[in-house]
Amino acid sequence: MRRYVYRCTVCRTTSPVVHQLDDLAAVGDAHRLALHGGHIPDDEAAGQVDRLGRWYAALGPLIAMHARIADGLSDLRDPKGTGHPFWASAGAALVLGSAAALVLGVLSAGL
């Protein structure tokens, strides 16, 4: 399940997590109308976050892949929850390690 938040850096506020892009747009529009008279604040941000509340765009590629896999595994048991259970984080590390070992094995066999 995807999670989105809206962040206004002028007001220094962050919206609660929403699960649909339409809801994210509505939250941003309501904030702009209520507090900024419809004007768009400088450096406002809206985007997808992981279960720990970190912006995917701010994460490195390997950490973002780990977070997406762990989110997917965590969502199997509790789709609306937050945080990564240990088993989901360990499973994501195992998947990434297995993929790296497979690529290394194929490359070494090819050489």
Side-chain angles (χ1 to χ4, degrees), residues 2 17 21-22 26 28 34 43-44 46 53 70 89-90 92 94 103 106-107:
R2 300 189 188 277
V17 173
L21 282 174
D22 296 336
D43 297 328
E44 77 173 358
S89 187
L94 181 65
V103 168
V106 169
L107 287 177

Side-chain angles (χ1 to χ4, degrees), residues 65-79:
M65 281 180 29
H66 180 274
R68 286 193 187 274
I69 294 169
D71 284 351
L73 291 173
S74 299
D75 286 344
L76 292 175
R77 181 171 289 168
D78 182 17

